[in-house]
Amino acid sequence: MRILVLNGPNLGTLGRREPEIYGSTTLAEIVEAARAHALERGSLLDAFHSNHEGALIDRLEQVDYDAVICNFGALSHTSYALHDALVACERPAVEVHISDVNAREPWRRVSVTAPATRHQVIGRGWRGYLEAIDWLKQLSG
Ligand code: DQA
């Protein structure tokens, strides 16, 4: 299985961004750990990060993957365009949030992209990405 991991705005500064909320692990470290986790389970992982909504949509439109793991950051709460791009790619997707968005500001409780995903992993720290890989693996059998 080829898994595309998408990270949106402000996730490139993980490690130094509000470490009390997001932890001290960098995005590069998360991607490395996720790639190793996927490989051990026979999957290839490609990762893409952008602060720009359109760039994330462009990457989704390539459809060179079998499944998606997405953390669109704050765009999860606002972007109907990313929702539509997830639907259009016709691949199973899992939404990840490092922090517990349900225990923070009320506006974070709403994800407009989640309805386009099959599963959500919320508030599990960076290891949520590994849980998302495991979920996709059990889905593919
Ligand atoms: C986040 C939660 C979002 O509300 C926030 O805007 C982020 C990160 C998370 O991983 O916990 O940028 O998606």
Side-chain angles (χ1 to χ4, degrees):
M1 181 168 52
R2 298 163 302 167
I3 301 171
L4 174 65
V5 177
L6 288 176
N7 282 287
N10 300 308
L11 290 162
T13 56
L14 284 175
R16 59 191 158 86
R17 174 192 181 195
E18 299 177 275
E20 66 285 2
I21 296 175
Y22 299 111
S24 53
T25 310
T26 66
L27 184 58
E29 289 166 342
I30 294 171
V31 167
E32 195 184 316
R35 184 168 283 128
H37 192 83
L39 257 184
E40 282 163 16
R41 285 151 187 81
S43 286
L44 288 176
L45 186 144
D46 188 24
F48 180 74
H49 163 256
S50 179
N51 290 325
H52 305 280
E53 184 179 33
L56 294 163
I57 294 168
D58 288 344
R59 184 65 191 86
L60 274 170
E61 282 186 349
Q62 291 176 29
V63 202
D64 55 355
Y65 48 83
D66 304 304
V68 181
I69 294 171
C70 56
N71 182 350
F72 293 131
L75 287 174
S76 317
H77 312 301
T78 61
S79 178
Y80 294 106
L82 279 166
H83 169 283
D84 285 356
L86 280 175
V87 171
C89 80
E90 297 182 335
R91 300 288 184 273
V94 178
E95 179 160 298
V96 170
H97 292 290
I98 294 169
S99 67
D100 183 358
V101 284
N102 295 315
R104 300 179 63 193
E105 300 94 324
W107 57 267
R108 290 188 204 271
R109 288 183 205 142
V110 177
S111 168
V112 302
T113 50
T117 65
R118 302 273 289 266
H119 183 63
Q120 297 86 41
V121 180
I122 293 171
R124 310 284 290 171
W126 70 265
R127 289 180 183 80
Y129 291 87
L130 309 187
E131 287 185 29
I133 291 168
D134 293 341
W135 193 89
L136 287 169
K137 285 303 285 186
Q138 59 81 29
L139 182 72
S140 71

